[in-house]
């Protein structure tokens, strides 16, 4: 028995449900016919023409599709809801089997001509033609999705750490404020269904009602403006544009560290300049051609200016480094300022010097007292030795070049002293021979300034020399004087090379500090 009751219930459900559906569809069709019988969509739906029709606007931001900074166009996906009351579309629910709402195509009804004032779409397309939900009390609710292209004033002064504000201004195109008034449903747009953008972070979208009087008309025109506040996610640009530029910028000061003889100092500066030019072109393609130079563009320009200055200074320093033998001596102020103070500050030292002070090497006297042959001792050499001893007592320090000169000249003098018949002396830094000629085998040549009592010790006896010995003495004199001139030239060029090296190190540290502070400044904008 119970089984038959269940079957009967199922039979009633399947039998009566289509009847209810047919009844509801029948009343909906009858309601649509009654509503549209005397309805016109050409006129604003108010009972009195002096009555103001209120339209409530609500915007939901669904997605930010694209931000074109160069053309200053924002493409966004919005859901727009418009609510108003139509005095001609009312009915009694009891007359239509309790039917309180009906959905009909929007093309059948009057709809407010609310448009986006700052639209930048070339096709001038409006919202999608969706159905309108009608309540029995005449409330009309029209929901439609809308892909908008709006103009947005882009300020790229702090790119890539910039924030933008894009406005969406909605208002009636033909009705003024005395006929149609627009209201905002909420204080801000709805962001509950927002799809996060990979480049932009949405901070908010507040709404504000404005009443504007245009120059063409004296009537007020109300509108609702939604301000979309965006902040750029700078990680992409930091890792792809900023950090490579910083790394390339730190290569520029290293050009001063390269040896001048390598021939790659200027090439490095030019290569870094070309690399930064490529990054500058990438930024220029993204940014609009406005007067506001972006922050990263300023950084590129400052870095390129610094590299240009470093390349010019490198050329100037290389010119100093490659001074020829005809160069003038280093001025005294340059020796004091550059070779003494700046060299210690920039940690430039000679070989064999420590970080605190120079340690002169011990050296032998340039002229040593030679052993006599056949009981004779050269008085000229004794005088040279005595002068060297006195100079060692009076002078506190001797440079490396002077040490080498003295060592070389000592070797030359020792080679001359091997022949007892050679008479030579050093006068005023020149190696000269006492040529007495062949007038006699025992002709006596006396040095000036020696008393008669010291003739035996001070006189130089000239012996007969062969032509080969005289030529040998003159050759040694020429070689010694030439070597002295060459060492003086090398010393002069060496000083200029040290000046160039000190300037290289000084500018290297200075440009390193400049690059560090510029990078720190632009990174600080991200905080």
């Amino acid at each position: 028995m119970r089984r038959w009751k269940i079957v009967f219930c199922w039979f009633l459900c399947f039998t009566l449900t289509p009847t209810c559906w047919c009844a509801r569809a029948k009343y909906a069709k009858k309601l649509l016919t009654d509503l549209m019988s005397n309805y016109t969509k050409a006129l604003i739906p108010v009972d009195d023409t002096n009555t103001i029709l209120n339209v409530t606007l609500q915007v939901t931001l669904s997605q930010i599709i694209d931000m074109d900074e160069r053309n200053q166009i924002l493409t966004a996906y919005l859901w727009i809801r418009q609510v108003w009351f139509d005095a001609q579309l009312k009915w009694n629910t009891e007359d239509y089997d309790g039917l309180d709402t009906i959905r009909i195509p929007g093309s059948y009804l009057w709809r407010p001509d609310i448009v986006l004032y700052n639209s930048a779409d070339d096709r001038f397309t409006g919202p999608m033609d969706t159905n309108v939900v009608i309540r029995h009390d005449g409330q009309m609710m029209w929901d439609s999705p809308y892909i908008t292209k709006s103009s947005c004033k882009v300020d790229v002064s702090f790119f890539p750490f910039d924030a933008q504000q894009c406005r969406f201004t909605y208002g009636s195109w033909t009705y003024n404020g005395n006929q149609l008034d627009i209201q905002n449903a909420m204080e801000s747009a709805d962001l509950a269904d927002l799809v996060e953008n990979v480049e932009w972070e949405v901070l908010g979208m507040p709404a504000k009602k404005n009443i504007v009087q245009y120059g063409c008309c004296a009537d007020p025109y109300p509108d609702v403006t939604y301000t979309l506040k965006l902040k750029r996610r700078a990680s992409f640009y930091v890792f792809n544009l900023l950090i490579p530029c910083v790394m390339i910028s730190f290569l520029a000061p290293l050009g001063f560290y390269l040896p001048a003889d390598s021939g790659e100092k200027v090439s490095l500066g030019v290569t870094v300049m070309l690399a930064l030019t490529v990054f500058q072109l990438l930024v220029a393609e993204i940014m609009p051609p406005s007067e506001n130079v972006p922050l990263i563009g300023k950084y590129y320009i400052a870095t390129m200016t610094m590299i240009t200055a470093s390349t010019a200074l490198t050329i100037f320093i290389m010119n100093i480094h490659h001074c020829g033998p005809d160069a003038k001596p280093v001025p005294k102020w340059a020796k004091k300022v550059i070779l003494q103070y700046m060299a210690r500050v920039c940690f430039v030292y000679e070989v064999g010097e420590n970080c605190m002070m120079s340690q002169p090497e011990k050296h032998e006297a340039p002229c040593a007292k030679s052993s006599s042959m056949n009981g004779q001792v050269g008085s000229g050499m004794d005088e040279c030795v005595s002068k060297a001893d006195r100079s060692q007592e009076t002078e506190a320090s001797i440079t490396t070049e002077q040490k080498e000169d003295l060592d070389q000249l000592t070797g030359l003098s020792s080679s001359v002293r091997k022949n007892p018949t050679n008479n030579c002396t050093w006068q005023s830094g020149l190696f000269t021979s006492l040529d007495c000629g062949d007038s006699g085998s025992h002709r006596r040549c006396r040095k000036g300034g020696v008393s008669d009592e010291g003739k035996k010790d001070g006189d130089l006896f000239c012996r007969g020399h062969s032509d080969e010995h005289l030529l040998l003495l003159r050759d040694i004199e020429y070689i010694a004087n030439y070597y002295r001139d060459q060492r003086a030239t090398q010393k002069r060029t060496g000083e200029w090379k040290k000046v160039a090296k000190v300037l290289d190190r000084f500018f290297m540290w200075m440009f390193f500090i400049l690059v560090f502070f510029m990078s720190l400044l632009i990174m600080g904008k991200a905080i």
Side-chain angles (χ1 to χ4, degrees):
M1 188 71 181
R2 184 178 178 181
R3 182 179 179 183
W4 286 105
K5 288 181 178 180
I6 295 173
V7 173
F8 181 74
C9 291
W10 280 104
F11 176 77
L12 289 177
C13 290
F14 283 105
T15 305
L16 298 178
T17 299
T19 305
C20 296
W21 288 347
C22 294
R24 180 60 62 88
K26 175 181 177 181
Y27 284 108
K29 184 177 180 181
K30 182 177 182 299
L31 175 61
L32 177 61
T33 304
D34 295 341
L35 292 176
M36 294 292 104
S37 60
N38 296 321
Y39 182 81
T40 175
K41 63 178 182 178
L43 301 176
I44 186 171
V46 291
D47 294 333
D48 188 359
T49 56
N50 295 325
T51 305
I52 300 175
L53 179 65
N54 294 320
V55 178
T56 304
L57 182 67
Q58 179 180 349
V59 174
T60 300
L61 179 61
S62 178
Q63 184 182 0
I64 298 174
I65 299 177
D66 182 42
M67 167 66 85
D68 189 356
E69 293 93 345
R70 189 170 184 84
N71 296 318
Q72 302 188 78
I73 294 177
L74 173 65
T75 304
Y77 180 38
L78 304 176
W79 297 344
I80 300 177
R81 171 175 290 183
Q82 302 178 42
V83 179
W84 70 95
F85 284 89
D86 195 329
Q88 301 178 18
L89 300 179
K90 295 181 181 180
W91 71 90
N92 188 1
T93 58
E94 296 178 356
D95 296 338
Y96 299 94
D97 194 21
L99 187 62
D100 58 349
T101 58
I102 187 174
R103 292 167 175 81
I104 61 177
S107 58
Y108 292 178
L109 306 172
W110 177 92
R111 290 176 296 181
D113 57 345
I114 295 177
V115 296
L116 180 63
Y117 282 172
N118 57 330
S119 176
D121 195 350
D122 54 352
R123 294 176 296 178
F124 295 100
T125 57
M128 185 181 296
D129 192 8
T130 56
N131 292 335
V132 178
V133 179
I134 308 175
R135 289 174 55 90
H136 66 280
D137 56 354
Q139 183 187 33
M140 318 285 289
M141 186 172 62
W142 179 30
D143 292 334
S144 61
Y146 191 15
I147 296 179
T148 63
K149 288 186 178 181
S150 60
S151 58
C152 178
K153 184 179 180 181
V154 179
D155 184 10
V156 293
S157 299
F158 296 95
F159 175 84
F161 309 110
D162 57 331
Q164 306 296 336
Q165 292 186 357
C166 298
R167 292 177 174 82
F168 298 86
T169 303
Y170 288 94
S172 175
W173 190 254
T174 57
Y175 296 102
N176 55 43
N178 298 325
Q179 297 172 333
L180 187 146
D181 188 16
I182 183 171
Q183 305 286 338
N184 49 337
M186 297 187 299
E187 294 182 355
S188 64
D190 187 7
L191 305 178
D193 298 325
L194 177 63
V195 178
E196 292 292 335
N197 189 270
V198 294
E199 183 179 0
W200 296 95
E201 178 184 359
V202 178
L203 303 179
M205 194 174 178
K208 181 181 179 181
K209 180 181 177 180
N210 303 307
I211 298 177
V212 183
Q213 287 186 348
Y214 296 98
C216 63
C217 310
D219 298 327
Y221 284 85
D223 62 64
V224 175
T225 300
Y226 292 86
T227 304
L228 178 60
K229 298 180 180 180
L230 301 174
K231 183 180 180 181
R232 191 188 302 271
R233 304 179 191 270
S235 301
F236 174 81
Y237 298 99
V238 168
F239 284 100
N240 290 277
L241 292 180
L242 190 57
I243 292 181
C245 176
V246 173
M247 296 173 66
I248 292 173
S249 300
F250 273 99
L251 289 177
L254 291 178
F256 292 105
Y257 194 75
L258 281 176
D261 297 330
S262 63
E264 298 294 334
K265 296 171 71 69
V266 179
S267 300
L268 178 61
V270 174
T271 303
V272 173
M273 176 71 74
L274 292 176
L276 289 178
T277 304
V278 173
F279 284 101
Q280 178 71 18
L281 291 176
L282 291 177
V283 175
E285 291 180 358
I286 300 174
M287 296 296 99
S290 63
E291 295 181 356
N292 296 329
V293 181
L295 182 65
I296 191 172
K298 294 179 181 178
Y299 179 73
Y300 285 161
I301 293 174
T303 306
M304 293 170 67
T305 304
M306 184 195 67
I307 294 174
T308 303
S310 66
T311 305
L313 289 173
T314 300
I315 296 173
F316 172 74
I317 294 173
M318 287 182 65
N319 191 18
I320 295 177
H321 177 83
H322 293 285
C323 284
D326 297 332
K328 296 181 180 180
V330 179
K332 292 183 179 180
W333 66 268
K335 289 183 179 180
K336 186 175 182 180
V337 176
I338 298 178
L339 298 182
Q340 292 183 13
Y341 297 106
M342 290 180 60
R344 293 185 180 276
V345 172
C346 299
F347 307 102
V348 179
Y349 304 103
E350 294 291 342
V351 178
E353 295 180 350
N354 57 14
C355 298
M356 298 301 297
M357 59 180 296
S358 60
Q359 298 178 353
E361 299 177 356
K362 295 182 179 180
H363 59 280
E364 298 179 355
C367 299
K369 190 173 183 179
S370 60
S371 60
S372 61
M373 181 175 292
N374 298 327
Q376 301 291 332
V377 179
S379 62
M381 289 301 170
D382 294 339
E383 182 182 358
C384 183
V385 171
S386 63
K387 289 182 180 179
D389 294 337
R390 288 194 300 269
S391 64
Q392 289 180 357
E393 294 176 358
T394 57
E395 295 182 359
S397 61
I398 302 176
T399 60
T400 306
E401 291 82 358
Q402 292 173 344
K403 297 172 189 176
E404 296 178 358
D405 291 341
L406 294 175
D407 294 338
Q408 295 293 336
L409 296 177
T410 302
L412 289 173
S413 63
S414 62
S415 65
V416 174
R417 288 197 299 268
K418 291 180 180 180
N419 190 351
T421 60
N422 295 341
N423 299 308
C424 62
T425 184
W426 289 91
Q427 296 179 358
S428 301
L430 295 176
F431 184 83
T432 59
S433 63
L434 297 176
D435 189 6
C436 299
D438 296 334
S439 59
S441 61
H442 297 284
R443 184 178 178 180
R444 179 178 299 173
C445 296
R446 187 174 60 189
K447 293 178 63 179
V450 181
S451 63
D452 293 337
E453 290 81 6
K455 289 179 180 179
K456 293 181 180 181
D457 296 332
D459 293 343
L460 296 175
F461 294 93
C462 298
R463 305 177 185 275
H465 303 290
S466 62
D467 294 339
E468 291 80 2
H469 289 166
L470 293 176
L471 293 175
L472 179 61
L473 290 175
R474 291 190 178 93
D475 292 342
I476 294 175
E477 178 182 358
Y478 175 78
I479 293 173
N481 293 332
Y482 179 79
Y483 179 77
R484 170 185 168 276
D485 295 338
Q486 183 141 5
R487 288 299 301 169
T489 302
Q490 290 178 357
K491 177 183 177 181
R492 186 166 58 251
T493 56
E495 288 179 347
W496 281 115
K497 288 183 179 181
K498 187 175 180 181
V499 168
K501 186 176 181 180
V502 172
L503 292 177
D504 266 336
R505 295 296 174 84
F506 173 74
F507 286 117
M508 181 189 73
W509 290 114
M510 187 181 70
F511 279 96
F512 263 128
I513 294 173
L514 287 177
V515 172
F516 174 75
F517 277 106
M518 285 194 302
S519 303
L520 190 65
L521 179 63
I522 191 171
M523 290 297 183
K525 296 294 183 179
I527 301 175

